[in-house]
Each structure stands twice: as C-alpha cells, then as structure tokens.
Amino acid sequence: MNTKTSNSTAVMNTYGRFPIVLVKGKGACVTAEDGSEYLDFTSGIATCNLGHCPEIITDALHKQLDTLWHVSNLYHIPVQQQLAEILTENTHFQQVFFCNSGAEANEAAIKLVKKYWSDQKAIERNTIITFSHSFHGRTGTTMAATAQEKIHQGFAPLTPGFQYANYNDPQALNMINTDSTAAVMLELIQGEGGVIPAETEWVKLLCEECQRQGIPVLIDEVQSGIGRTGTFYAYEQFDIQPDIITSAKGLGSGFPIGAMLASEKFSRHFTPGTHGSTFGGNPLAATAALETVKIVKNESFLQSVKEQSDWFVNKLEQMASSFNLIEEVRGKGFLIGIQLKIDAITVIKALHDKEILTLPAGPNVLRILPPLNVRNDQLVHFANKLQEVLTEIQHNKEDENHE
Ligand SMILES: *Cc1c(COP(=O)(O)O)cnc(C)c1O
C-alpha cells in the first residue's frame, strides 16, 4: 500500500503533516516507507522518552497483552495501584487519578480545584489564572485555559473562568486574590509556547503568594515530566511544593496514559461518582507506564540525562555563537529550543533532507527533543548536521543579499 500524503485523505485535516510516512522505529531511529532512516529528535513530541519500542516496555506489554487488556475501573487494578504508588513515593502527593492524555489530566485537575472550593462553600472562587504562551490542551476547557489567541479562534464561546497573566511577570502576583482566584496553573518550562523556562525566583514568589492566600498551585508537567528536564518532574528543580501536577506524554513511553497527582488536602475531594474515565489507567496503559517510571526514576538514569543534556546544550551554544541566524539556545535537560531569526520550518525541512527529525515551537523556535537514552554519537551526528544546514542557509542568504 502506498500511503496518501496529500491533505485529502479520509483522516480529518487537523494537522499540517510533513510528507514523510514513518513505519518502523528502534531507539532514536525511525524508518520511512521509502526506506530512508531518520534520527528522531522529536520523540513523538516528548513522548517516546526511552526511544522507539524500548525492549523492557515491549516485553511487559506483550506479557500483559496475553493476560488482560482491559477491565473497568469498577474493579481494582493492581498494576494501576502499583503505578500510583511509585509515582507518589517520596513525594508530597498522596493520590493519583488516571486518564488518557495531557488534556484529560488538566481537565481532571481543573475539576478537582472546582470541587475543592465547592466543598468549602466558596463557589465565588471561580477563576483560574493561566499564562501567556501557555499550552494546556485542545478540549473545550483546556483550550480556554491555554492563553493563546490562535488556539481559541473559531471556538467561541469559551469555557468561562480563566484569567490570563503574563508569564515571568511580577505583576501577575497582583492578580491573585482571595475573592475570586481558585487556582494558578502553569508550565515551568513552556513547551508548545516556544520552549520558555520560568524564572526560578518568579515561580517561588508566585507559589509563596498562593500559599499565603490558600490558593492551590497546579503545575502542568505534561511535556516537562518523566525525566525530560533532567529530574523526574521539573518542579523538583524549583524550591516549591505544588498542590497538584499533571503528567502524560512520556508517562507511557508512547502508550496513551495521563495522570493527575494531588496532595491529600485536594485529592480527598474526588469521591465515587465525581470524576471518571473508561480507559484511564487500564492494565495495558498502566503496565507501559509502570515499566517506564521504574526506569526513569532511577537516580543514575536521571544523572546521565543531566550530564548528557548539559554537554549537548553547551555544544549547541558554542555553535550558536558562529551563526547570526541564531538568537538564543534555551531549555532544561533534553527539552531544548533554538530561537531563530528565520522560520523554524526552513530549518526543519532542511534537516529532513539530512534525515533528521525536529519540531517547531511557534514560528521561530526549533524544538529539539532527543530520547533521554540517546547515544553520544547520535548527539554529535545531530550537531554536525545542524551545523551543515545552518551553514547552507546562511550562505544562501548571503548570496541573495549579493544579487
Ligand atoms: C501536549 C501538552 C498538553 C496536551 O496533551 P495531549 O495529550 O495532547 O492532550 C497539555 N499540556 C502541555 C504542557 C503539553 O505539552
């Protein structure tokens, strides 16, 4: 079969797709239908954090496939409980709600804070503050939580109850108030919004203000979690204790699963009948996630992510200084963005010709998300190819200027 690559397939046209058909993957490499082999520095958008088809997860899934695929959440699911235990051990979170995606995890978190205030008989606390350039998902409510005009376009009326503040702006603290604020929700490093890290001091002040006023802080770790930034969750690098966090993307190594973790003060407000999901944390998904978490939680694994990513970012920064096409290299761990003075798509397409996959994050940011267990020679190969591509683009630009 020759897969259609035009936009008029039977699949709805919600994505601008590159004309590449991927059919197979192993580690950091993917094979296309035409036989080309790409180095995949997208990891399925921070999802296949252990590379494609990681053996331990594959084996565990095969075993689970032969045992039990799915049972309803009306019964106890031991592997789901084990997963909740490993996610909460040595943290201040006591309980986990499982669902199927990042948006669903954020929906669950938003519902939980609403339920919390409702149980306090404080329904006037109905506004959640979110931030410019954020991304929290595409469902009705998480789209409204996402403070990006272009994501709202065409979908009025939006779910009410969100107020937008500027990211990294001390003024945002003035918007928090005990009359109406139900929660503050943010990413500690904005992924889709352009790989923008939060300033440590700002986050600390924000959280202190929330704590002073008894307002829950909800951290969206959907992209930043599962070792992506060098710690299991990114919040561990900040001097904060968020009340609620959400997790998805890398959690199941590519198998769909989402989770919302909360401290007991909040989690106890979800009681039977208040929230639910048919598939959330089913035996297959929970198995994929449990095996993933076991690997990524390992201190030596995380240490090597830190060391390798530091080395790699340093190399990219050195390279950046010799190209005036590059404005800045940003990021944490292996969640890396290069702010360009040209369209990111130009660089992404040129890298395709060198058999390398990368992502955009907004119009001018090249997003680089290698698997966390990437080999050193693969990082070197990537850096060399990026150097080649930028050199070619820069030369072409100079030629244009001379004509
Ligand atoms: C991708 C993402 C989401 C949405 O996750 P889905 O699984 O696509 O619903 C939410 N928040 C952040 C920070 C993300 O990066």
Side-chain angles (χ1 to χ4, degrees):
M1 188 191 78
N2 216 332
T3 313
K4 288 189 218 169
T5 52
S6 80
N7 284 336
S8 61
T9 68
V11 177
M12 279 200 200
N13 191 23
T14 51
Y15 309 98
R17 294 182 197 265
F18 296 111
I20 295 173
V21 183
L22 301 170
V23 292
K24 212 168 79 176
K26 191 71 206 165
C29 300
V30 280
T31 310
E33 197 181 39
D34 67 4
S36 8
E37 293 236 10
Y38 292 87
L39 183 62
D40 182 5
F41 273 25
T42 73
S43 302
I45 316 193
T47 293
C48 306
N49 283 3
L50 300 175
H52 293 278
C53 304
E55 223 157 273
I56 294 177
I57 322 290
T58 307
D59 290 348
L61 278 174
H62 276 153
K63 226 167 111 197
Q64 192 61 46
L65 267 174
D66 290 334
T67 317
L68 183 68
W69 292 16
H70 178 80
V71 289
S72 124
N73 275 310
L74 295 177
Y75 307 97
H76 292 283
I77 301 174
V79 61
Q80 186 188 101
Q81 292 197 8
Q82 272 177 278
L83 174 60
E85 275 159 26
I86 194 172
L87 282 172
T88 52
E89 84 184 2
N90 306 321
T91 74
H92 63 285
F93 302 112
Q94 275 92 31
Q95 289 189 304
V96 187
F97 173 82
F98 290 108
C99 50
N100 310 288
S101 69
E104 280 183 40
N106 286 334
E107 287 272 352
I110 291 163
K111 277 184 72 174
L112 183 60
V113 296
K114 286 188 182 182
K115 183 68 168 49
Y116 170 79
W117 289 117
S118 167
D119 290 349
Q120 314 301 308
K121 312 270 180 285
I123 49 168
E124 68 285 355
R125 297 265 211 155
N126 55 14
T127 305
I128 296 176
I129 297 174
T130 63
F131 294 90
S132 51
H133 306 290
S134 57
F135 184 80
H136 299 300
R138 296 286 196 162
T139 60
T141 294
T142 57
M143 166 184 72
T146 297
Q148 290 194 54
E149 188 62 37
K150 68 167 201 258
I151 303 241
H152 301 162
Q153 212 86 70
F155 298 109
L158 298 180
T159 305
F162 293 96
Q163 197 181 6
Y164 310 129
N166 289 325
Y167 198 60
N168 282 331
D169 180 359
Q171 292 292 324
L173 272 67
N174 302 331
M175 288 168 69
I176 302 167
N177 70 82
T178 44
D179 294 330
S180 66
T181 310
V184 171
M185 177 176 183
L186 71 154
E187 297 152 88
L188 292 173
I189 172 162
Q190 295 182 322
E192 302 301 311
V195 190
I196 308 167
E199 284 158 22
T200 313
E201 193 52 32
W202 177 74
V203 170
K204 205 171 157 209
L205 291 174
L206 190 70
C207 290
E208 278 169 8
E209 186 58 26
C210 286
Q211 191 167 30
R212 209 173 58 77
Q213 301 198 32
I215 294 164
V217 174
L218 201 166
I219 303 288
D220 181 343
E221 293 258 15
V222 169
Q223 188 154 166
S224 57
I226 324 299
R228 181 50 58 185
T229 68
T231 45
F232 192 77
Y233 284 117
Y235 82 84
E236 297 163 37
Q237 292 170 58
F238 293 77
D239 189 14
I240 60 168
Q241 285 216 338
D243 302 281
I244 300 171
I245 64 170
T246 54
S247 191
K249 289 204 166 88
L251 182 55
S253 284
F255 204 99
I257 181 167
M260 186 261 293
L261 286 66
S263 62
E264 209 261 336
K265 178 180 175 190
F266 293 91
S267 67
R268 67 192 174 84
H269 292 272
F270 265 179
T271 49
T274 51
H275 195 45
S277 164
T278 298
F279 287 123
N282 90 352
L284 279 177
T287 296
L290 178 63
E291 296 307 319
T292 304
V293 173
K294 276 188 199 163
I295 295 170
V296 178
K297 269 225 161 171
N298 222 297
E299 209 35 65
S300 62
F301 181 91
L302 290 167
Q303 188 57 32
S304 111
V305 173
K306 259 183 236 149
E307 284 167 14
Q308 260 195 316
S309 60
D310 279 353
W311 175 86
F312 182 55
V313 168
N314 202 284
K315 196 163 172 67
L316 293 176
E317 275 169 347
Q318 278 170 19
M319 186 193 303
S321 58
S322 60
F323 291 100
N324 54 27
L325 293 173
I326 298 181
E327 216 150 85
E328 193 186 13
V329 179
R330 295 192 288 261
K332 257 189 209 311
F334 276 130
L335 175 42
I336 302 165
I338 300 184
Q339 178 84 45
L340 299 161
K341 289 181 186 150
I342 55 169
D343 280 351
I345 292 290
T346 309
V347 179
I348 290 169
K349 286 186 172 159
L351 282 168
H352 285 169
D353 296 338
K354 310 265 181 203
E355 303 195 321
I356 287 175
L357 304 180
T358 53
L359 288 163
N364 306 110
V365 177
L366 179 72
R367 188 167 29 152
I368 304 165
L369 304 169
L372 305 183
N373 55 3
V374 63
R375 295 196 316 260
N376 234 58
D377 62 292
Q378 291 167 325
L379 293 173
V380 171
H381 178 77
F382 175 88
N384 290 340
K385 293 295 161 186
L386 181 62
Q387 172 126 18
E388 274 176 43
V389 158
L390 293 174
T391 307
E392 282 163 23
I393 294 173
Q394 189 140 310
H395 277 166
N396 291 344
K397 269 187 118 56
E398 282 162 11
D399 289 348
E400 269 170 41
N401 291 345
H402 290 150
E403 270 163 21

